[in-house]
Amino acid sequence: MPHGTALLVIDMQQGFLPIAFRGAETVAVIAGLRRRAKAAGAPIVTIQDQGADAEPGTDGWRIVPDLAPDPQDPLDLLVHKTTADGFLRTDLDRILRGLGVTEVVVTGFATEICVETTARQALSHGYDLLLVADGHTTSVRPDSGTYAVPARSIAHHNEIYRGMTFPGRSVRVLPAADVDFAAPAPSAQRPAAVPAGVRRAVLSGSTFEEQIGYARAVVDGDRVHVSGTTGFDYATMTISDDVVAQAEQCLRNITTALTEAGASLTDVVRVRYLLPDRADFEPCWPVLRRHFGEVRPAATMLVCGLADPRMKIEMEVDARRTT
């Protein structure tokens, strides 16, 4: 049965525990959250780093025993990553969407790096966020130096997220004792369909929308029409030189628009890809397959010029919201 909330446990591995501030206490907090998530039937996704500091197969790479996933439990899952971002080049987004997750409860190590990066990417991927105030930690370090001491760094990040607003997202910071996996996530209920014949515009804040005069998406009853969307990060108005990175950002931007409209990528019925260079299309196939491989929308690829020479791909989608 789909569940709105999932617990994420990031990099709680044996090699990191000896350098973790209040490591044993953090393990105990997360272990308690795991038990409560299981009791509520909520998915648990353990994210395991296998970068330079966590060589696969070594003792240091292994998950702390008290937090190890149960391979017999289909809702107790494991995802491997190679960067600070738990979503980058992993199956995390596909798994969460397949389980009907709308909110992630984030815990783990290290506060300023993998926890911070994955939490922000969760918001960009369209998920509500609950950061467990006493469920993440960082490395032990001396009081002197350029880094904030561990307790202050953890408190600082908790306060940042308490004051954070993100379009169309719920952002919460709660102690573990107040986390309720049985309660529906804030975005679990989609907005009601706009009555037929009544339109609603969804704006992203892009300067292009203001300058040209259009909406990122238009909701018309149960239909959602998302405008041609490029790989610009609208928060910074920057764009990568890499076509695959642009494709990923296109889909993040589209996901944000669909979420604002009460839909998701699983509701997409048609997608159009526009590229100036046809040779750039095939490198994007793994990204597109990861997002649409189970949805299977109708699709068209067109070779054409785009408005800015930095743009290497543009995507346009139509969706039909399910109720």
Side-chain angles (χ1 to χ4, degrees), residues 193-239:
V194 177
V198 178
R199 301 195 334 169
R200 176 168 70 88
V202 174
L203 304 177
S204 69
S206 162
T207 56
F208 299 131
E209 294 169 23
E210 181 65 26
Q211 292 168 354
I212 300 172
Y214 69 98
R216 173 58 43 209
V218 173
V219 184
D220 184 6
D222 64 353
R223 303 283 180 172
V224 182
H225 309 278
V226 181
S227 298
T229 302
T230 63
F232 272 93
D233 181 335
Y234 297 133
T236 61
M237 288 310 294
T238 57
I239 190 168

Side-chain angles (χ1 to χ4, degrees), residues 13 16 49-58 60-61:
Q13 294 163 244
F16 299 141
D49 185 71
Q50 49 186 31
D53 296 328
E55 184 179 349
T58 63
W61 169 77

Side-chain angles (χ1 to χ4, degrees), residues 169-187:
R169 305 285 180 276
S170 166
V171 183
R172 300 187 290 164
V173 180
L174 296 175
D178 292 345
V179 176
D180 184 0
F181 290 100
S187 291

